[in-house]
Amino acid sequence: MRVLSLVLDQFRSFDHVEMDTSDVGSDLLIGLNGSGKTNILEALSFASLGASCLGAPSEDVIRWEKEFARVRVTVQQDDGEEKSLEVTMTIAPRKAKAFFVNDVRVPTARFLGILPSVTFLPEDLLLFSGSPALRRTFLDRILMQVSLEFTHAFTAYKKALTQRNILLRRIAKEEARERDLDPWDTQLAEFGAIIVQERKRLLKALNASLSERVQALGEKWPSATMIYQSKSIAMEQGALREELSLQLAHYRPRDLLVHSTTVGPHRDDWFLEAREHSIAHFASRGQQRTALLAILFAVVSYIGEIRSEKPIILLDDVFSELDEAHQHALLFGLDDHHVFMSTTHLPEEVSGMKVWEVREGTVYQNTKYQRQNAKQMVTIK
């Protein structure tokens, strides 16, 4: 997959930007902190995920004192077919978001995954020590790009969860009855089973090559395994649905007490185990970087295999967080993908990269940097 062009209107710090990214090779965004480099990556995440890779509300990306923002990309799939993808966000006359493929409006689920992507942000280094919500989001963003069933289930589960929590608060105020929870429990069990099953399948797929990738990056751990943490131990959808139904019934008294749903996939977690311990508890920051890169490479390969389409790669200021060896591993391990990378300084090797200078409100190509040949050190298979 390759992004041929990117157009932004009233997006973040940009009034209007047009970028021709059709040349062979990747694109390097260079500029001072606060210049808007990350805004470009965030715009591409909207074209891929329909949402901000930074977790920002959609209305927040609209330029100050404007009423709408637009992101439009033209992409070329690996089979040569070209498509235009567009996302618009409005705040007047009401908050809304719309998706278009080849200028035809489509539902969100049909838009997601057309432009597969993998994002690496500095805050991803907190993946192992940060909140469970961060780790759940990491899995869910991958699955929404490869499984329409997961996307439907995830959306339906969130709606049912919101309604159940509202109902729990109404019951506390004696405005509703406890038995009114039953239909919502049924929905949570049905859609939650799909979510848990898909997450477990994903981890199984990533684990197939993870130990080898960690060792290839220099760590001597005998094994590395991503382990899913849940009250549900089954693997098949029917058994998971039954488990979730029983759990919702068992913990209903507690839910009524705290006015919130305390069990389900929205409470699950995962961790990376090596040497029979979570790496969050023993691994150095450098070792955690290595593990994160190994997972990143595994995800890139997984999406490419499932979608039969190489994802684009969005890398935000990773050079400030990675040592030279890991920088080389990242650059050369992804050299057959379309990479968009932001940085405050030019890396030593910019082989095959188009360099863009980003200043507040403007983006322009800088041709003064000479491309250098580089020896490939790591290859994603």
Side-chain angles (χ1 to χ4, degrees), residues 92-106:
R94 62 184 179 85
K95 292 181 182 179
K97 185 161 54 174
F99 301 94
F100 301 84
V101 178
N102 294 334
D103 297 317
V104 176
R105 186 166 182 173
V106 297

Side-chain angles (χ1 to χ4, degrees), residues 211-282:
S211 293
E212 180 183 347
R213 294 181 187 280
V214 168
Q215 292 165 8
L217 288 168
E219 287 303 327
K220 303 305 180 184
W221 299 336
S223 65
T225 307
M226 298 171 73
I227 297 177
Y228 195 70
Q229 288 184 304
S230 173
K231 292 185 181 296
S232 301
I233 61 174
M235 292 296 294
E236 297 305 317
Q237 196 175 129
L240 283 166
R241 184 167 55 248
E242 182 63 25
E243 281 185 345
L244 285 168
S245 293
L246 293 173
Q247 291 164 17
L248 287 164
H250 178 76
Y251 289 103
R252 181 180 286 187
R254 183 174 68 183
D255 292 353
L256 289 166
L257 185 64
V258 300
H259 313 156
S260 180
T261 304
T262 59
V263 66
H266 63 290
R267 298 282 185 171
D268 290 352
D269 197 0
W270 64 270
F271 65 94
L272 181 62
E273 181 183 82
R275 298 175 179 171
E276 300 182 350
H277 296 283
S278 167
I279 71 164
H281 299 148
F282 79 86

